[in-house]
Amino acid sequence: MAKFPMQVPRSVSQMTDFPLISFVCAWYEREESIAASVNSMLAQDYPNFEIIIVNDGSTSSKVLERLLSFSDPRLHVVNQDNFGFVYSIRRAIEMSRGAYIAIMGAGDICEPDRLKQQYEVFRTNERLAIAGCYYTKLHTGFKNDEIFRPFAP
């Protein structure tokens, strides 16, 4: 994959002895979810992470405006024409500098200990290549929210 022109400041990776983890997210529309989603990433209790969000050509100018409204140096927003999810997430990964990649769905909200728990799984299980998590589907129209658990053989 071709290199992209964005350079992320190197000082982020020197913050702690913990390996840098990169949240990557391809964002399209969902303006109403930006604050909750980005704030949940920024609230992580893991001490060393960056966030790279690629705005994939959202049609509303308010999406980019809201994404750029955060002043945290760990957050990097890239704006591009609409190329689709696969291109955009690959671009975010290409720009990342982390030893680990945490893919975040646009509009998703994560618990404050997500990165810490996932890092701990990798730290204690060297043979693992991927980690998932439970998730709760909210605003489904059902009487109760649903909790989905990943399949474990």
Side-chain angles (χ1 to χ4, degrees):
M1 179 150 87
K3 292 282 183 186
F4 294 94
M6 180 186 149
Q7 292 295 320
V8 178
R10 294 292 172 199
S11 61
V12 175
S13 64
Q14 300 165 358
M15 291 172 65
T16 69
D17 292 332
F18 291 86
L20 181 67
I21 298 176
S22 299
F23 266 123
V24 294
C25 183
W27 202 284
Y28 183 74
E29 305 302 357
R30 299 184 184 193
E31 174 192 345
E32 71 285 349
S33 302
I34 292 171
S37 186
V38 173
N39 283 326
S40 78
M41 288 185 277
L42 291 171
Q44 292 299 296
D45 58 11
Y46 184 83
N48 194 19
F49 64 92
E50 66 180 355
I51 303 166
I52 300 171
I53 298 177
V54 175
N55 178 33
D56 187 29
S58 296
T59 59
S60 170
S61 61
K62 291 188 181 220
V63 171
L64 181 59
E65 181 181 309
R66 287 188 189 217
L67 287 171
L68 292 173
S69 71
F70 295 88
S71 60
D72 193 296
R74 298 170 295 181
L75 174 62
H76 311 282
V77 177
V78 178
N79 192 44
Q80 68 179 29
D81 290 336
N82 182 255
F83 292 111
F85 174 80
V86 173
Y87 179 90
S88 300
I89 202 71
R90 288 185 68 191
R91 184 173 187 192
I93 291 169
E94 180 70 22
M95 292 174 173
S96 71
R97 295 175 298 107
Y100 299 94
I101 302 293
I103 296 176
M104 181 77 167
D108 287 358
I109 298 170
C110 57
E111 296 292 333
D113 62 347
R114 173 190 171 182
L115 293 183
K116 183 173 69 177
Q117 285 193 28
Q118 289 180 327
Y119 170 68
E120 188 62 21
V121 168
F122 283 113
R123 191 183 68 74
T124 58
N125 299 281
E126 294 177 1
R127 296 178 61 196
L128 289 181
I130 190 169
C133 57
Y134 295 141
Y135 68 95
T136 303
K137 189 173 183 178
L138 302 174
H139 311 294
T140 62
F142 293 103
K143 183 176 180 182
N144 297 316
D145 293 329
E146 302 172 65
I147 298 177
F148 295 86
R149 290 167 174 48
F151 173 73

